[in-house]
Amino acid sequence: MRPTDLDRMAVPGRPTLRGELLLTAVARPDPGTDTYRSSLVRVGPGGAAPWTHGERDSAPSISPDGRWVAFLRATGSDSPQLHVMPADGGESRRLTDLPLGAGAPVWAPDSRRIAFTARVPEQGRYGTAADGENAPRPEAERPRRITRFDYRLDGEGFTRDRPRRLFVVDVEADGPLATDDLAPLTDATASVSDPAWTPDSTGVLVVAPRDWDAQETLHDDLYLIPIEDGDGPELLVRCPGGATAPVIASDGTVYFYGTEFDGLHAVARNTGLWATSLQEPTTPRRLTDAETVGCDASAGPPVPRDDDVLVAVRHRGAVELRGVARDAADATLDTLPLVAGERAAVRSFAVDGDRIAVVQAGPADLGEVVLLEPGSSRTLTDFSAPLREAGIRPVEEVAATAPDGYPVHGWVVKPEGDGPHPVLLVVHGGPFAQYDWGLFDEAQVYASAGYLVVLPNPRGSAGYGESHARAIVGALGTVDADDVLALLDAALDRADADADRVGVMGGSYGGFMTGWLAAHHGHRFRAAWSERAVNAWDSFTGSSDIGWHFSGAYVGDDPEEQRRRSPLTYADRIRIPFAVVHSEQDWRCPLEQAQRMFVAVKKAGCETELLLFPGEGHELTRSGRPRHRIQRFDAVLDWWQRHLPVS
């Protein structure tokens, strides 16, 4: 896979399934227009066929009665708006005309109404007019008055002047309806998310910050919003920490994903499946074991069935679909039946009766639709065929033992030929994340260029138990560095690896680890590429969108300890060529993190350069402009060809 093969990447979204109708949105980078395009496709035994032809169609959802398909459509630079069309085909109707767009549609059980959330801006901001005047340009808006820590998010921008509010629209409404036509069901005090209808279609459950966002908090609770009487939010249940993706079963049981923590110590906690009752809310009970079961909420809400609830679970680089008994209590991973995802990564799923549609990624694909029926499993799509035609390099598991005897797990991606090949150690972000079995475009590009790519899941990663993840809380740069180097050593024992030609790179936490290793173990590497990194915890605390809680949770609040755990502190020890790479609009690891590191390394006399991407945020490598992603790949390969040339 080459950088210019980016346009061959087709990524299916969450499927929707009802009867014989199975739909998903498929997104593709389009370097020609420097945008992403997506459309809905219908999936069947013969493969995938176009269903819509919009510029950016996404988030399809079939109504419970099977008559309608709701979805989001965006055109040009406009925000996505809610559309609906007959399930048997025909023209779509636009239902909303909201200044900042609409969120994903959620059907009421009666199939008459759709709930969604949408950000509603203050008048005079984000292209809206105020006091009868024309909408001011962004730079001419009045100043923001900020009184709280939680006022912005990377990739979204400022948030407190555009809270996310709940709306309900009738499917037969004559649209498009503007904000004035659609009275929000929640006020501007709290942003809400993840709407879920009650079985009788009279109310919507939402997730909102503790005490309706009265002050900064990482805790979420579940609130019931009546549709008709307008009494406002009713606290259903106080959750044990974080909460997301509630669903309500037909018997009134509420299932949701939750993490358990106190105060602001919300890092490296396994997400579990929890339950309470809609009719008689009680303290939620945890159905899954905190140590062994880490649910992946990004794959979609839990899905109740007759006797169990389907959830996606991270497990040693896999994301597995497993069933949790409805009456379970602290069920361990080994007791949860495996439904799908062995040595694969379940990205999303949908259920209709005894049929399950799964979007599942593997080492040679970004995700294909698999239909599970009683006694059978069929892969229905081949979206990644163009990538395989371009060339996909094989992936092999690697195991190692750290100096303290701890087992370490990861992968290598093999280039063509017997080698020995130069080696790239690539550390993931997070740190509470994992490399998984799904195709990783970056590793494929580097391997195709001739590098043996090493992908470790050290302590701190997700998918290996909560104690594995929490081993680095208060100890960054200790056992995680040991694990990374142990897996590298195991890879260097291979006959196809050149132990004398090794580079290290990574982004976010991986950028932190790159700087840490370059300073403390630089003799092991020829050069380093540090991207969107945390380099200095003291300034990160006040400049990052999450710094006000994240730094204290992982490192502590003592300034001296923060400096001890910062690569910047040891920049004068770096003696290998060191690239500092960042996005100008990164609010997760702000630009000052790169600037400080670049200046420190350069002042120490080390070869360095600073590469900045205009207009991009923290997610450049995954969702940045397609041309910037290609330019970044070109820059990476140029750097390594200069400092770690492929013979």
Side-chain angles (χ1 to χ4, degrees), residues 513-531:
M513 184 56 69
T514 297
W516 190 268
L517 293 177
H520 292 82
H521 304 276
H523 63 282
R524 303 201 53 171
F525 306 101
R526 292 282 187 91
W529 174 281
S530 175
E531 194 162 4

Side-chain angles (χ1 to χ4, degrees), residues 506-548:
S508 197
Y509 163 78
F512 158 87
M513 184 56 69
T514 297
W516 190 268
L517 293 177
H520 292 82
H521 304 276
H523 63 282
R524 303 201 53 171
F525 306 101
R526 292 282 187 91
W529 174 281
S530 175
E531 194 162 4
R532 61 182 185 275
V534 180
N535 291 312
W537 291 104
D538 54 356
S539 59
F540 177 91
T541 298
S543 61
S544 169
D545 60 342
I546 61 172
W548 59 279

Side-chain angles (χ1 to χ4, degrees), residues 417-573:
D418 296 331
H421 306 285
V423 176
L424 289 182
L425 172 64
V426 185
V427 185
H428 66 63
F432 191 48
Q434 66 168 4
Y435 284 128
D436 64 32
W437 281 102
L439 184 146
F440 182 30
D441 63 320
E442 292 191 50
Q444 288 294 327
V445 168
Y446 309 150
S448 296
Y451 297 96
L452 182 78
V453 183
V454 183
L455 305 174
N457 277 340
R459 273 170 279 190
S461 303
Y464 298 81
E466 189 169 276
S467 59
H468 177 96
R470 294 190 59 77
I472 64 168
V473 173
L476 288 169
T478 60
V479 295
D480 48 347
D482 292 342
D483 290 357
V484 165
L485 293 175
L487 199 80
L488 174 62
D489 286 337
L492 295 180
D493 284 340
R494 299 166 55 99
D496 56 354
D498 187 341
D500 293 324
R501 292 189 295 155
V502 182
V504 59
M505 65 182 298
S508 197
Y509 163 78
F512 158 87
M513 184 56 69
T514 297
W516 190 268
L517 293 177
H520 292 82
H521 304 276
H523 63 282
R524 303 201 53 171
F525 306 101
R526 292 282 187 91
W529 174 281
S530 175
E531 194 162 4
R532 61 182 185 275
V534 180
N535 291 312
W537 291 104
D538 54 356
S539 59
F540 177 91
T541 298
S543 61
S544 169
D545 60 342
I546 61 172
W548 59 279
H549 62 85
F550 191 87
S551 301
Y554 262 114
V555 183
D557 295 320
D558 176 46
E560 288 302 317
E561 180 63 15
Q562 290 183 348
R563 283 189 279 273
R564 278 192 292 271
R565 297 297 165 196
S566 297
L568 181 69
T569 302
Y570 312 99
D572 60 348
R573 300 183 185 180

Side-chain angles (χ1 to χ4, degrees), residues 37-159:
R37 295 183 175 273
S38 60
S39 59
L40 307 189
V41 300
R42 180 170 187 169
V43 178
W51 179 256
T52 65
H53 301 277
E55 189 175 317
R56 294 194 308 280
D57 294 346
S58 63
S61 181
I62 306 171
S63 62
D65 64 7
R67 295 179 57 213
W68 302 99
V69 176
F71 64 98
L72 300 179
R73 170 168 287 175
T75 304
S77 61
D78 293 339
S79 299
Q81 302 292 345
L82 182 61
H83 286 65
V84 67
M85 64 186 296
D88 56 2
E91 294 296 320
S92 66
R93 289 188 295 112
R94 177 171 166 175
L95 295 183
T96 63
D97 183 21
L98 303 174
L100 301 183
V106 180
W107 283 99
D110 62 13
S111 298
R112 291 178 42 242
R113 290 170 293 185
I114 299 170
F116 63 94
T117 62
R119 289 201 176 275
V120 179
E122 292 179 359
Q123 291 186 345
R125 297 197 189 278
Y126 305 104
T128 62
D131 301 326
E133 300 178 353
N134 292 329
R137 299 185 307 275
E139 66 272 16
E141 291 179 2
R142 64 185 182 278
R144 291 180 172 85
R145 180 173 177 267
I146 295 168
T147 61
R148 293 172 48 141
F149 296 132
D150 53 349
Y151 64 93
R152 61 177 186 163
L153 281 175
D154 180 76
E156 289 195 48
F158 294 99
T159 56

Side-chain angles (χ1 to χ4, degrees), residues 207-210 217-222 238-244 256-263 265-266 274 284:
V207 176
R210 170 83 28 100
T217 180
L218 300 181
H219 290 256
D220 297 305
D221 294 322
L222 302 183
R238 236 171 132 84
C239 297
T244 189
F256 64 96
Y257 296 128
T259 50
E260 190 169 11
F261 57 86
D262 295 320
H265 300 287
W274 297 72

